[in-house]
Amino acid sequence: MAQTDFDGSGILIIDGDEEFLADSSRLFEGGVATAATLADAQRALEGDDVDLVLLGPTFATETGVKDAGFLVEDDPGMAVVVVAGSVGSGLLRAALRAGFVDVIEAPLDAAKISEAVGHAERLTKRRPSSGGPVEPFAAPHREARVITVMSAKGGSGKTVTATNLALMLCKAHDPSRVCIVDADLQFGDVCLVLQLEPKLTIVNAAHEIAHIDEALLESILTKHPSGLSVLAAPLEPAFADEVTTAAMTEIVGRLRRMFDYVVIDTASLLDELLLSLLERSDQVLCVVDMDLPSVKNAKLALETLRLLKFPSGKIHLVLNRSNARARLDEGEIEQSLKMKIAAAIPSDGMVPASVNEGRPVVESAPRSKVARGFESVLKLVIGDESNRSDRAGKRRWL
Protein backbone atom coordinates (compact mmCIF):
# COMPACT_ATOMS: atom_id res chain seq x y z
CA MET A 1 0.00 0.00 0.00
CA ALA A 2 1.56 3.29 -1.15
CA GLN A 3 2.01 6.00 1.46
CA THR A 4 0.99 9.61 1.12
CA ASP A 5 3.38 12.53 1.40
CA PHE A 6 1.73 13.56 4.68
CA ASP A 7 3.12 12.65 8.08
CA GLY A 8 -0.28 12.29 9.72
CA SER A 9 0.03 15.23 12.09
CA GLY A 10 -3.18 17.18 12.43
CA ILE A 11 -5.27 14.29 11.06
CA LEU A 12 -7.76 12.19 13.02
CA ILE A 13 -9.36 9.01 11.63
CA ILE A 14 -12.64 7.87 13.21
CA ASP A 15 -14.14 4.43 12.63
CA GLY A 16 -15.37 1.44 14.59
CA ASP A 17 -13.57 -1.07 12.34
CA GLU A 18 -10.07 -1.78 13.65
CA GLU A 19 -8.96 -3.10 10.26
CA PHE A 20 -10.02 0.14 8.53
CA LEU A 21 -8.15 2.19 11.14
CA ALA A 22 -5.00 0.08 10.72
CA ASP A 23 -5.08 0.14 6.92
CA SER A 24 -5.75 3.90 6.84
CA SER A 25 -2.99 4.63 9.38
CA ARG A 26 -0.44 2.83 7.20
CA LEU A 27 -1.06 5.40 4.46
CA PHE A 28 0.84 8.00 6.48
CA GLU A 29 4.58 8.25 7.01
CA GLY A 30 4.25 9.05 10.68
CA GLY A 31 1.73 8.54 13.43
CA VAL A 32 -1.88 9.52 12.89
CA ALA A 33 -4.50 9.87 15.61
CA THR A 34 -7.37 7.37 15.57
CA ALA A 35 -10.64 6.95 17.44
CA ALA A 36 -13.09 4.04 17.48
CA THR A 37 -16.11 6.02 18.72
CA LEU A 38 -17.38 9.57 18.53
CA ALA A 39 -16.83 9.90 22.28
CA ASP A 40 -13.19 8.88 21.81
CA ALA A 41 -12.94 11.39 18.97
CA GLN A 42 -14.27 14.20 21.15
CA ARG A 43 -11.64 13.44 23.80
CA ALA A 44 -8.91 13.29 21.14
CA LEU A 45 -9.94 16.68 19.79
CA GLU A 46 -9.62 18.21 23.25
CA GLY A 47 -5.99 17.21 23.55
CA ASP A 48 -4.67 17.42 19.96
CA ASP A 49 -4.48 20.10 17.29
CA VAL A 50 -6.55 18.49 14.54
CA ASP A 51 -7.18 20.15 11.16
CA LEU A 52 -8.68 17.25 9.19
CA VAL A 53 -11.02 14.45 10.30
CA LEU A 54 -11.61 11.34 8.19
CA LEU A 55 -14.96 9.88 9.26
CA GLY A 56 -14.94 6.18 8.31
CA PRO A 57 -17.60 3.91 6.78
CA THR A 58 -19.01 2.97 10.21
CA PHE A 59 -20.44 6.50 10.44
CA ALA A 60 -21.13 6.98 6.71
CA THR A 61 -24.90 7.10 7.08
CA GLU A 62 -27.25 10.04 7.34
CA THR A 63 -27.71 9.29 11.05
CA GLY A 64 -23.98 8.85 11.61
CA VAL A 65 -23.21 12.14 9.89
CA LYS A 66 -25.84 13.91 11.98
CA ASP A 67 -24.36 12.45 15.18
CA ALA A 68 -20.89 13.62 14.12
CA GLY A 69 -22.09 17.15 13.47
CA PHE A 70 -20.54 18.31 16.75
CA LEU A 71 -17.13 18.08 15.05
CA VAL A 72 -17.75 21.30 13.14
CA GLU A 73 -20.17 22.81 15.66
CA ASP A 74 -17.37 22.92 18.24
CA ASP A 75 -14.79 24.09 15.67
CA PRO A 76 -16.20 25.69 12.47
CA GLY A 77 -12.70 25.59 10.99
CA MET A 78 -12.54 21.80 11.17
CA ALA A 79 -12.42 20.01 7.80
CA VAL A 80 -14.35 16.72 7.92
CA VAL A 81 -14.30 14.22 5.04
CA VAL A 82 -16.65 11.21 5.09
CA VAL A 83 -15.28 7.90 3.77
CA ALA A 84 -18.18 5.74 2.53
CA GLY A 85 -18.58 2.33 0.96
CA SER A 86 -20.73 3.99 -1.70
CA VAL A 87 -21.53 7.65 -2.28
CA GLY A 88 -25.24 8.42 -2.57
CA SER A 89 -27.06 11.70 -2.94
CA GLY A 90 -28.73 11.37 0.48
CA LEU A 91 -25.42 10.88 2.27
CA LEU A 92 -23.80 13.64 0.26
CA ARG A 93 -26.61 16.06 1.08
CA ALA A 94 -26.46 15.16 4.79
CA ALA A 95 -22.69 15.69 4.87
CA LEU A 96 -22.95 19.10 3.23
CA ARG A 97 -25.78 20.14 5.51
CA ALA A 98 -23.59 19.20 8.48
CA GLY A 99 -20.78 21.41 7.16
CA PHE A 100 -18.45 18.59 6.07
CA VAL A 101 -16.27 19.26 3.04
CA ASP A 102 -16.56 16.06 0.99
CA VAL A 103 -17.61 12.41 0.73
CA ILE A 104 -15.17 9.95 -0.86
CA GLU A 105 -15.39 6.25 -1.58
CA ALA A 106 -13.59 3.57 0.42
CA PRO A 107 -11.03 2.10 0.39
CA LEU A 108 -8.69 4.97 1.07
CA ASP A 109 -5.52 5.33 -0.97
CA ALA A 110 -2.78 7.93 -1.36
CA ALA A 111 -4.55 9.76 -4.21
CA LYS A 112 -7.82 10.09 -2.27
CA ILE A 113 -6.00 11.33 0.84
CA SER A 114 -4.12 13.92 -1.21
CA GLU A 115 -7.38 15.07 -2.82
CA ALA A 116 -9.09 15.36 0.58
CA VAL A 117 -6.19 17.34 2.08
CA GLY A 118 -6.07 19.61 -0.96
CA HIS A 119 -9.82 20.24 -0.74
CA ALA A 120 -9.51 21.10 2.95
CA GLU A 121 -6.65 23.50 2.23
CA ARG A 122 -8.63 25.27 -0.51
CA LEU A 123 -11.56 25.74 1.88
CA THR A 124 -9.21 27.09 4.55
CA LYS A 125 -7.96 29.75 2.15
CA ARG A 126 -11.54 30.81 1.41
CA ARG A 127 -12.54 30.89 5.08
CA PRO A 128 -13.33 34.42 6.33
CA SER A 129 -10.76 35.83 8.74
CA SER A 130 -13.51 36.28 11.32
CA GLY A 131 -13.81 32.51 11.57
CA GLY A 132 -17.32 32.47 10.15
CA PRO A 133 -18.83 29.58 8.21
CA VAL A 134 -17.01 28.27 5.17
CA GLU A 135 -18.57 29.04 1.80
CA PRO A 136 -18.41 26.06 -0.58
CA PHE A 137 -17.21 28.33 -3.41
CA ALA A 138 -16.41 31.99 -3.93
CA ALA A 139 -19.14 34.37 -5.01
CA PRO A 140 -19.29 34.70 -8.81
CA HIS A 141 -17.70 37.74 -10.39
CA ARG A 142 -20.72 37.94 -12.68
CA GLU A 143 -23.45 35.70 -14.01
CA ALA A 144 -21.89 33.03 -16.20
CA ARG A 145 -21.71 33.20 -19.94
CA VAL A 146 -23.27 30.00 -21.36
CA ILE A 147 -21.74 28.63 -24.58
CA THR A 148 -23.53 25.67 -26.15
CA VAL A 149 -21.69 23.54 -28.70
CA MET A 150 -23.96 21.73 -31.14
CA SER A 151 -23.65 19.65 -34.30
CA ALA A 152 -26.36 18.16 -36.44
CA LYS A 153 -24.29 15.05 -37.22
CA GLY A 154 -22.36 12.74 -34.94
CA GLY A 155 -18.61 12.53 -35.43
CA SER A 156 -18.26 16.14 -36.52
CA GLY A 157 -15.91 17.02 -33.65
CA LYS A 158 -18.39 18.63 -31.31
CA THR A 159 -17.11 17.10 -28.06
CA VAL A 160 -13.46 17.68 -28.99
CA THR A 161 -14.30 21.31 -29.71
CA ALA A 162 -16.21 21.74 -26.44
CA THR A 163 -13.50 20.18 -24.25
CA ASN A 164 -10.63 22.05 -25.88
CA LEU A 165 -12.56 25.31 -25.64
CA ALA A 166 -13.26 24.72 -21.94
CA LEU A 167 -9.58 24.07 -21.23
CA MET A 168 -8.54 27.17 -23.18
CA LEU A 169 -11.00 29.21 -21.13
CA CYS A 170 -9.28 27.78 -18.03
CA LYS A 171 -5.93 29.03 -19.32
CA ALA A 172 -7.31 32.47 -20.18
CA HIS A 173 -9.40 32.80 -17.02
CA ASP A 174 -9.60 31.53 -13.44
CA PRO A 175 -10.03 27.75 -13.98
CA SER A 176 -12.17 27.43 -10.87
CA ARG A 177 -14.72 29.68 -12.61
CA VAL A 178 -15.13 27.44 -15.69
CA CYS A 179 -17.50 24.47 -15.99
CA ILE A 180 -18.37 22.06 -18.80
CA VAL A 181 -21.69 20.20 -18.88
CA ASP A 182 -22.08 16.94 -20.80
CA ALA A 183 -25.67 17.18 -21.98
CA ASP A 184 -25.37 14.22 -24.36
CA LEU A 185 -27.38 12.14 -21.94
CA GLN A 186 -27.07 8.80 -23.71
CA PHE A 187 -23.57 8.75 -25.15
CA GLY A 188 -21.69 11.64 -23.56
CA ASP A 189 -17.91 11.46 -23.98
CA VAL A 190 -16.65 14.53 -22.15
CA CYS A 191 -15.22 12.52 -19.24
CA LEU A 192 -13.71 10.01 -21.67
CA VAL A 193 -11.94 12.77 -23.61
CA LEU A 194 -10.71 14.33 -20.35
CA GLN A 195 -9.80 10.92 -18.86
CA LEU A 196 -11.99 11.39 -15.79
CA GLU A 197 -13.92 8.81 -13.78
CA PRO A 198 -16.88 10.60 -12.21
CA LYS A 199 -18.35 9.23 -9.01
CA LEU A 200 -21.52 11.31 -9.43
CA THR A 201 -23.28 12.51 -12.58
CA ILE A 202 -26.05 14.75 -13.78
CA VAL A 203 -28.48 11.96 -12.82
CA ASN A 204 -27.66 12.56 -9.15
CA ALA A 205 -28.34 16.26 -9.60
CA ALA A 206 -31.65 15.55 -11.34
CA HIS A 207 -32.75 13.24 -8.50
CA GLU A 208 -32.18 16.06 -6.00
CA ILE A 209 -33.63 18.84 -8.15
CA ALA A 210 -36.31 19.72 -5.59
CA HIS A 211 -33.68 20.27 -2.90
CA ILE A 212 -30.56 21.14 -4.87
CA ASP A 213 -28.51 24.20 -4.01
CA GLU A 214 -25.11 25.43 -5.13
CA ALA A 215 -23.25 23.52 -2.40
CA LEU A 216 -24.83 20.18 -3.31
CA LEU A 217 -24.38 20.80 -7.04
CA GLU A 218 -20.70 21.63 -6.60
CA SER A 219 -20.16 18.36 -4.73
CA ILE A 220 -21.59 16.46 -7.73
CA LEU A 221 -19.10 18.05 -10.12
CA THR A 222 -15.95 16.19 -11.11
CA LYS A 223 -12.67 18.13 -11.00
CA HIS A 224 -10.15 18.01 -13.84
CA PRO A 225 -6.47 18.53 -12.91
CA SER A 226 -6.59 21.89 -14.71
CA GLY A 227 -9.20 23.13 -12.22
CA LEU A 228 -12.06 22.76 -14.73
CA SER A 229 -15.36 21.55 -13.21
CA VAL A 230 -17.22 18.84 -15.12
CA LEU A 231 -20.86 17.84 -14.80
CA ALA A 232 -20.71 14.30 -16.19
CA ALA A 233 -23.28 12.59 -18.39
CA PRO A 234 -25.10 9.50 -17.10
CA LEU A 235 -22.88 6.44 -16.89
CA GLU A 236 -25.37 4.34 -18.88
CA PRO A 237 -27.79 5.29 -21.71
CA ALA A 238 -30.73 3.86 -19.74
CA PHE A 239 -30.33 6.61 -17.12
CA ALA A 240 -30.91 9.40 -19.69
CA ASP A 241 -34.68 9.31 -19.14
CA GLU A 242 -34.14 10.23 -15.49
CA VAL A 243 -32.93 13.71 -16.50
CA THR A 244 -35.87 15.83 -17.62
CA THR A 245 -35.61 19.00 -19.66
CA ALA A 246 -36.93 20.97 -16.69
CA ALA A 247 -34.22 19.50 -14.44
CA MET A 248 -31.51 20.27 -16.98
CA THR A 249 -32.55 23.90 -17.37
CA GLU A 250 -32.75 24.30 -13.59
CA ILE A 251 -29.23 22.87 -13.25
CA VAL A 252 -27.85 25.20 -15.92
CA GLY A 253 -29.50 28.12 -14.13
CA ARG A 254 -27.73 27.13 -10.91
CA LEU A 255 -24.39 26.74 -12.68
CA ARG A 256 -24.81 30.18 -14.24
CA ARG A 257 -24.71 31.65 -10.73
CA MET A 258 -21.71 29.56 -9.67
CA PHE A 259 -19.31 30.12 -12.57
CA ASP A 260 -18.16 32.72 -15.09
CA TYR A 261 -18.22 30.37 -18.09
CA VAL A 262 -20.41 27.31 -18.66
CA VAL A 263 -19.70 25.26 -21.81
CA ILE A 264 -22.41 22.77 -22.76
CA ASP A 265 -21.71 19.78 -25.00
CA THR A 266 -24.88 18.39 -26.58
CA ALA A 267 -26.20 15.39 -28.46
CA SER A 268 -26.54 15.45 -32.25
CA LEU A 269 -30.29 15.63 -31.93
CA LEU A 270 -32.56 18.63 -32.47
CA ASP A 271 -35.02 17.86 -29.69
CA GLU A 272 -36.80 19.66 -26.85
CA LEU A 273 -33.73 19.48 -24.61
CA LEU A 274 -31.38 21.05 -27.14
CA LEU A 275 -33.86 23.79 -28.03
CA SER A 276 -34.29 24.63 -24.34
CA LEU A 277 -30.51 24.82 -23.89
CA LEU A 278 -30.11 26.98 -26.98
CA GLU A 279 -32.76 29.35 -25.67
CA ARG A 280 -30.77 29.80 -22.44
CA SER A 281 -27.39 30.19 -24.15
CA ASP A 282 -25.49 33.40 -24.71
CA GLN A 283 -23.65 31.89 -27.64
CA VAL A 284 -24.08 28.81 -29.85
CA LEU A 285 -21.19 27.21 -31.72
CA CYS A 286 -22.46 25.10 -34.61
CA VAL A 287 -19.70 22.65 -35.58
CA VAL A 288 -19.73 21.49 -39.22
CA ASP A 289 -17.39 18.91 -40.76
CA MET A 290 -16.01 19.04 -44.30
CA ASP A 291 -18.33 16.41 -45.70
CA LEU A 292 -21.66 16.54 -47.45
CA PRO A 293 -23.79 14.72 -44.80
CA SER A 294 -22.55 17.10 -42.09
CA VAL A 295 -23.32 20.16 -44.22
CA LYS A 296 -26.72 18.78 -45.20
CA ASN A 297 -27.70 18.13 -41.58
CA ALA A 298 -26.42 21.53 -40.50
CA LYS A 299 -28.51 23.16 -43.23
CA LEU A 300 -31.65 21.40 -41.97
CA ALA A 301 -30.92 22.35 -38.35
CA LEU A 302 -30.28 26.00 -39.17
CA GLU A 303 -33.42 26.21 -41.29
CA THR A 304 -35.41 24.84 -38.35
CA LEU A 305 -33.94 27.50 -36.07
CA ARG A 306 -34.84 30.17 -38.65
CA LEU A 307 -38.44 28.98 -38.59
CA LEU A 308 -38.36 29.25 -34.79
CA LYS A 309 -37.07 32.85 -35.07
CA PHE A 310 -33.89 32.02 -33.19
CA PRO A 311 -31.64 35.14 -33.08
CA SER A 312 -28.78 34.78 -35.56
CA GLY A 313 -26.44 36.88 -33.44
CA LYS A 314 -26.06 33.97 -31.04
CA ILE A 315 -24.93 31.42 -33.63
CA HIS A 316 -21.38 31.07 -34.96
CA LEU A 317 -20.30 28.54 -37.56
CA VAL A 318 -17.17 26.54 -36.66
CA LEU A 319 -15.63 24.53 -39.50
CA ASN A 320 -13.87 21.37 -38.35
CA ARG A 321 -11.16 19.57 -40.38
CA SER A 322 -10.96 22.69 -42.54
CA ASN A 323 -7.95 21.36 -44.48
CA ALA A 324 -9.49 17.98 -45.26
CA ARG A 325 -9.23 16.79 -48.85
CA ALA A 326 -12.85 17.18 -49.86
CA ARG A 327 -14.62 18.44 -52.93
CA LEU A 328 -16.40 21.09 -50.85
CA ASP A 329 -14.75 24.42 -50.26
CA GLU A 330 -15.50 27.05 -47.64
CA GLY A 331 -17.37 29.29 -50.07
CA GLU A 332 -19.75 26.49 -51.02
CA ILE A 333 -20.39 25.70 -47.36
CA GLU A 334 -21.12 29.34 -46.50
CA GLN A 335 -23.44 29.66 -49.49
CA SER A 336 -25.32 26.49 -48.58
CA LEU A 337 -25.71 27.39 -44.89
CA LYS A 338 -26.23 31.13 -45.51
CA MET A 339 -23.72 31.90 -42.78
CA LYS A 340 -20.10 32.98 -42.70
CA ILE A 341 -17.53 30.62 -41.17
CA ALA A 342 -16.46 32.28 -37.92
CA ALA A 343 -13.64 29.91 -36.89
CA ALA A 344 -11.82 26.98 -38.48
CA ILE A 345 -10.01 23.98 -36.98
CA PRO A 346 -7.61 22.07 -39.26
CA SER A 347 -7.45 18.30 -39.45
CA ASP A 348 -4.52 16.68 -37.66
CA GLY A 349 -3.69 13.11 -36.66
CA MET A 350 -2.74 14.25 -33.18
CA VAL A 351 -6.41 14.99 -32.41
CA PRO A 352 -7.59 11.33 -32.32
CA ALA A 353 -4.34 10.47 -30.54
CA SER A 354 -5.09 13.11 -27.89
CA VAL A 355 -8.58 11.65 -27.42
CA ASN A 356 -7.13 8.17 -26.90
CA GLU A 357 -4.59 9.54 -24.40
CA GLY A 358 -7.16 11.60 -22.52
CA ARG A 359 -5.16 14.83 -23.00
CA PRO A 360 -6.87 17.40 -25.25
CA VAL A 361 -4.57 18.79 -27.90
CA VAL A 362 -4.46 22.30 -26.39
CA GLU A 363 -2.69 20.66 -23.43
CA SER A 364 -0.61 18.01 -25.20
CA ALA A 365 0.47 20.17 -28.18
CA PRO A 366 -0.37 23.82 -27.42
CA ARG A 367 1.79 25.20 -30.26
CA SER A 368 0.42 22.96 -32.98
CA LYS A 369 -1.67 24.23 -35.90
CA VAL A 370 -4.76 22.47 -34.61
CA ALA A 371 -4.31 24.10 -31.19
CA ARG A 372 -4.15 27.47 -32.93
CA GLY A 373 -7.41 26.51 -34.61
CA PHE A 374 -9.00 26.09 -31.19
CA GLU A 375 -7.51 29.46 -30.25
CA SER A 376 -9.62 30.96 -33.03
CA VAL A 377 -12.68 29.46 -31.32
CA LEU A 378 -11.57 30.95 -27.99
CA LYS A 379 -11.09 34.38 -29.59
CA LEU A 380 -14.54 34.01 -31.09
CA VAL A 381 -16.00 33.49 -27.61
CA ILE A 382 -13.97 36.21 -25.89
CA GLY A 383 -14.46 38.65 -28.76
CA ASP A 384 -18.18 37.98 -28.90
CA GLU A 385 -18.40 38.73 -25.20
CA SER A 386 -16.50 42.01 -25.48
CA ASN A 387 -18.79 43.16 -28.27
CA ARG A 388 -22.02 42.12 -26.56
CA SER A 389 -22.83 45.58 -25.28
CA ASP A 390 -22.30 47.05 -28.78
CA ARG A 391 -24.93 44.72 -30.20
CA ALA A 392 -27.53 45.52 -27.53
CA GLY A 393 -30.70 46.72 -29.17
CA LYS A 394 -29.49 45.61 -32.64
CA ARG A 395 -30.89 42.09 -32.80
CA ARG A 396 -30.75 40.35 -36.15
CA TRP A 397 -32.83 37.31 -36.97
CA LEU A 398 -31.96 34.20 -38.92
Side-chain angles (χ1 to χ4, degrees):
M1 181 182 296
Q3 288 186 326
T4 69
D5 295 328
F6 307 104
D7 62 8
S9 61
I11 298 177
L12 172 65
I13 305 175
I14 309 172
D15 198 70
D17 185 344
E18 293 183 1
E19 184 177 354
F20 175 83
L21 291 177
D23 289 342
S24 301
S25 298
R26 283 194 288 269
L27 289 169
F28 299 91
E29 295 179 358
V32 61
T34 62
T37 67
L38 293 178
D40 291 341
Q42 193 166 27
R43 286 190 289 270
L45 291 173
E46 292 173 355
D48 295 326
D49 185 12
V50 177
D51 300 310
L52 173 65
V53 172
L54 298 175
L55 191 66
T58 299
F59 303 98
T61 63
E62 294 184 43
T63 300
V65 165
K66 184 178 179 180
D67 292 341
F70 72 87
L71 294 169
V72 291
E73 290 175 0
D74 295 343
D75 182 3
M78 180 73 66
V80 181
V81 175
V82 181
V83 184
S86 62
V87 180
S89 299
L91 175 61
L92 189 60
R93 185 172 63 248
L96 291 171
R97 294 287 185 268
F100 300 168
V101 301
D102 202 1
V103 180
I104 59 179
E105 287 188 354
L108 283 177
D109 56 31
K112 292 176 183 177
I113 293 291
S114 298
E115 181 182 357
V117 172
H119 195 173
E121 288 177 345
R122 288 192 296 271
L123 288 177
T124 299
K125 291 178 181 178
R126 293 199 294 268
R127 184 176 292 119
S129 58
S130 61
V134 177
E135 293 296 330
F137 45 83
H141 305 305
R142 55 178 169 77
E143 190 173 77
R145 183 164 178 75
V146 177
I147 304 108
T148 295
V149 183
M150 64 168 286
S151 176
K153 178 181 175 294
S156 295
K158 170 180 50 60
T159 299
V160 171
T161 300
T163 50
N164 279 276
L165 171 61
L167 287 176
M168 296 207 75
L169 284 169
C170 287
K171 292 182 178 182
H173 195 68
D174 179 355
S176 67
R177 313 299 307 176
V178 183
C179 177
I180 184 169
V181 178
D182 195 341
D184 186 346
L185 300 179
Q186 286 192 318
F187 302 105
D189 285 329
V190 167
C191 285
L192 177 66
V193 171
L194 295 176
Q195 207 170 45
L196 297 174
E197 295 184 5
K199 61 183 180 183
L200 298 172
T201 72
I202 196 168
V203 174
N204 300 97
H207 287 171
E208 301 295 328
I209 200 65
H211 312 286
I212 202 164
D213 56 18
E214 281 78 1
L216 179 57
L217 185 53
E218 189 196 30
S219 69
I220 293 173
L221 301 175
T222 302
K223 292 294 182 180
H224 185 263
S226 65
L228 172 68
S229 296
V230 180
L231 183 56
L235 299 178
E236 297 181 16
F239 295 147
D241 292 339
E242 300 181 27
V243 184
T244 65
T245 298
M248 176 65 80
T249 54
E250 173 67 20
I251 290 167
V252 170
R254 293 280 183 180
L255 292 172
R256 187 188 283 273
R257 296 192 287 271
M258 294 167 59
F259 295 92
D260 292 337
Y261 291 98
V262 176
V263 179
I264 305 177
D265 186 27
T266 59
S268 300
L269 187 66
L270 196 60
D271 58 1
E272 179 190 6
L273 174 59
L274 177 59
L275 292 175
S276 296
L277 292 173
L278 295 181
E279 182 181 357
R280 288 159 178 80
S281 300
D282 298 290
Q283 188 173 23
V284 177
L285 303 181
C286 181
V287 180
V288 180
D289 205 349
M290 285 286 284
D291 63 62
L292 193 58
S294 181
V295 175
K296 184 265 293 183
N297 286 12
K299 181 179 176 67
L300 293 174
L302 292 173
E303 287 178 349
T304 301
L305 293 179
R306 289 188 185 100
L307 291 173
L308 296 174
K309 304 297 183 183
F310 193 83
S312 65
K314 285 187 177 184
I315 301 182
H316 299 277
L317 200 59
V318 176
L319 184 62
N320 191 31
R321 304 182 182 95
S322 58
N323 60 342
R325 294 179 179 178
R327 293 180 180 273
L328 299 177
D329 63 26
E330 294 186 9
E332 291 175 325
I333 292 174
E334 290 178 336
Q335 183 177 4
S336 175
L337 301 183
K338 300 178 183 178
M339 290 188 72
K340 290 291 183 182
I341 294 171
I345 304 165
S347 177
D348 196 308
M350 65 177 61
V351 173
S354 71
V355 171
N356 292 336
E357 294 171 3
R359 285 194 69 203
V361 71
V362 297
E363 282 192 331
S364 59
R367 296 183 179 180
S368 62
K369 288 184 179 180
V370 68
R372 289 199 294 271
F374 287 117
E375 285 180 8
S376 71
V377 180
L378 174 68
K379 291 176 182 177
L380 180 63
V381 171
I382 301 296
D384 184 78
E385 179 179 14
S386 64
N387 294 327
R388 231 187 330 175
S389 59
D390 297 336
R391 295 198 307 270
K394 301 179 181 178
R395 172 176 286 181
R396 296 185 300 115
W397 300 91
L398 281 169

